[in-house]
Amino acid sequence: EDQVTQSPEALRLQEGESSSLNCSYTVSGLRGLFWYRQDPGKGPEFLFTLYSAGEEKEKERLKATLTKKESFLHITAPKPEDSATYLCAVLRGAGNMLTFGGGTRLMVKP
Amino acid sequence: GAGVSQSPRYKVAKRGQDVALRCDPISGHVSLFWYQQALGQGPEFLTYFQNEAQLDKSGLPSDRFFAERPEGSVSTLKIQRTQQEDSAVYLCASSVDSHNYGYTFGSGTRLTVV
């Protein structure tokens, strides 16, 4: 059975304090790993798709990396507006459904 | 429209009542998905449409849940005889085609069953 586990569940950072969020997955036939950001009361907002081990993608203060077992979302010098829940999800097999992890709730204090 | 629109934003239903949740996807988007998100959890897949065809409904939790997209545009998720465990946020997402998985999500409908 596919498993996607995110850690930590919650993370408090001071503004400017860089850190990483982890997404571990157990799937066969991975077709892609996705990162989303979700603000309270909103739907998830697409950030990145990674397709193969070794791939990296960047957007502003965020960088996502992928290995055969896990993905990291690195946040460099975060700002309070980066506070949100970050979700990862995997796509596998022939279907089109994403399997999401439980999310990491990030709080960045000024 | 510019984004995925869902209505109503909030719905309170008495246990046993039927509810209908609406999703207006981005114009021209072929693929449409419904997800259920419990408080503090990640979204869980319910069902998938490509145009008007429902290609996967493996995530629907019971036969009380039914989804349709008759003209390949607007979709409705119907829940019959609601139960307390149905309380959740129901998210709709669309993508331009079946190979583009950077879905655009709507803001969801928060269903509370009392």
Side-chain angles (χ1 to χ4, degrees), chain A residues 57-110:
Chain A
K57 288 198 176 166
E58 288 189 62
K59 180 180 179 180
E60 296 180 358
R61 295 177 291 283
L62 300 177
K63 183 169 81 172
T65 62
L66 181 65
T67 73
K68 289 187 178 179
K69 294 182 180 180
E70 58 193 347
S71 177
F72 291 94
L73 184 65
H74 307 278
I75 303 177
T76 302
K79 298 182 177 182
E81 54 262 40
D82 294 322
S83 297
T85 295
Y86 290 85
L87 296 162
C88 75
V90 298
L91 178 71
R92 73 145 186 96
N96 289 314
M97 58 176 272
L98 291 180
T99 300
F100 282 86
T104 293
R105 191 171 71 255
L106 174 67
M107 292 153 283
V108 181
K109 301 233 171 200

Side-chain angles (χ1 to χ4, degrees), chain B residues 15-66:
Chain B
R15 193 169 56 180
Q17 185 179 353
D18 297 350
V19 298
L21 312 180
R22 177 186 170 105
C23 173
D24 279 274
I26 293 173
S27 178
H29 276 198
V30 169
S31 297
L32 185 145
F33 305 81
W34 284 97
Y35 283 79
Q36 180 190 59
Q37 187 172 26
L39 190 63
Q41 304 293 316
E44 292 194 358
F45 172 79
L46 292 176
T47 188
Y48 159 62
F49 290 86
Q50 187 171 322
N51 293 308
E52 69 278 2
Q54 188 174 21
L55 298 186
D56 188 342
K57 55 182 181 179
S58 62
L60 296 176
S62 78
D63 58 7
R64 297 186 296 103
F65 286 71
F66 171 76

